[in-house]
Amino acid sequence: AQTVTQSQPEMSVQEAETVTLSCTYDTSESDYYLFWYKQPPSRQMILVIRQEAYKQQNATENRFSVNFQKAAKSFSLKISDSQLGDAAMYFCAYRSALKFRDDKIIFGKGTRLHILP
Amino acid sequence: ETGVTQTPRHLVMGMTNKKSLKCEQHLGHNAMYWYKQSAKKPLELMFVYNFKEQTENNSVPSRFSPECPNSSHLFLHLHTLQPEDSALYLCASSQGQGPLDTQYFGPGTRLTVL
């Protein structure tokens, strides 16, 4: 079974600085998708960024980028120029690409990110 | 606002009560989901509906009973719950069930079982 591990329960970063959130996963599959979700204090979870495992290029969405290391099964999220609105719980997640309908997203336990003004 | 609403936002109930959680999506999606979010545990998928048909029941106890009358509405009926069922219950929807179909989440219902 696949697992997702986020080893940092909490992190803090100074406003305008860069922070990296770690995520590792375990799978025997070669084709899958990885995600980072953000859950702000209002609790509405949103998708931040997605990476297809077959793509070597790291995904980027504005100030958010990932470092995808397939061999190491590592998928870290870098937030540049941190803003107060980035304060949230961040979840790393995995989904197999082998089954179209019947597979589910597997989430890590999350990392709570604090932004220091 | 992501277009997925949940009511109530907070619910306190005794173990003998019967209550229902409601989710509504205004995005024209075909798939809807119930998740349970407990403190210090990963988000757990409970149920999936696609075109009103249940496509997944993730070994959820029968004291949780889902209902999906149409593609826009999803209910979770609760009865004889246990204190360990206290959690944040999240609803989500997506266009389809594929991995590229982004799930849009509601704000959740914070449930406390006394």
Side-chain angles (χ1 to χ4, degrees):
Chain A
Q2 294 84 17
T3 59
V4 176
T5 302
Q6 294 178 250
S7 58
Q8 305 150 314
E10 287 195 63
M11 292 189 72
S12 296
V13 63
Q14 209 74 35
E15 195 176 2
E17 296 295 308
T18 295
V19 64
T20 299
L21 308 183
S22 301
C23 173
T24 58
Y25 58 94
D26 189 25
T27 184
S28 58
E29 298 173 342
S30 59
D31 198 11
Y32 48 86
Y33 297 85
L34 297 166
F35 310 86
W36 277 99
Y37 283 86
K38 171 186 177 182
Q39 188 178 36
S42 67
R43 298 178 297 174
Q44 206 138 12
M45 194 176 315
I46 58 172
L47 178 67
V48 175
I49 201 164
R50 172 173 50 218
Q51 174 81 41
E52 289 92 335
Y54 65 85
K55 289 186 178 178
Q56 292 188 338
Q57 188 172 7
N58 289 321
T60 299
E61 288 287 342
N62 300 314
R63 296 182 295 107
F64 297 86
S65 61
V66 298
N67 183 6
F68 173 47
Q69 301 288 329
K70 192 171 184 179
K73 296 179 182 175
S74 170
F75 183 62
S76 60
L77 174 69
K78 185 173 83 170
I79 306 174
S80 304
D81 185 26
S82 298
Q83 301 174 1
L84 294 177
D86 295 332
M89 183 74 90
Y90 287 82
F91 294 95
C92 179
Y94 169 102
R95 179 172 177 167
S96 170
L98 294 180
K99 291 182 280 186
F100 185 78
R101 275 179 48 133
D102 299 330
D103 229 343
K104 59 189 177 188
I105 299 175
I106 299 169
F107 289 86
K109 291 185 179 181
T111 296
R112 183 168 299 282
L113 179 63
H114 303 276
I115 309 296
L116 306 174
Chain B
E1 187 62 46
T2 62
V4 181
T5 58
Q6 289 186 244
T7 54
R9 296 292 301 273
H10 300 270
L11 178 62
V12 179
M13 59 187 290
M15 290 190 285
T16 58
N17 292 157
K18 288 184 180 181
K19 296 287 184 183
S20 294
L21 309 185
K22 179 182 176 182
C23 175
E24 184 173 0
Q25 57 96 0
H26 311 275
L27 301 169
H29 289 166
N30 299 311
M32 296 188 77
Y33 311 76
W34 278 118
Y35 285 91
K36 177 182 179 183
Q37 186 176 20
S38 305
K40 299 182 180 179
K41 290 179 69 176
L43 205 64
E44 301 171 63
L45 179 66
M46 299 175 73
F47 301 103
V48 182
Y49 278 81
N50 197 28
F51 290 98
K52 302 187 298 179
E53 300 295 323
Q54 187 178 124
T55 58
E56 180 144 358
N57 177 338
N58 200 26
S59 303
V60 180
S62 59
R63 58 186 183 270
F64 294 91
S65 174
E67 179 190 0
C68 188
N70 54 62
S71 293
S72 298
H73 294 85
L74 185 64
F75 295 89
L76 188 63
H77 303 299
L78 317 171
H79 64 99
T80 59
L81 294 192
Q82 305 298 311
E84 59 265 29
D85 296 323
S86 299
L88 182 68
Y89 288 84
L90 294 172
C91 174
S93 72
S94 60
Q95 183 61 47
Q97 278 188 257
L100 296 180
D101 290 303
T102 300
Q103 292 187 21
Y104 292 83
F105 287 82
T109 295
R110 173 69 62 187
L111 174 67
T112 302
V113 182
L114 301 177

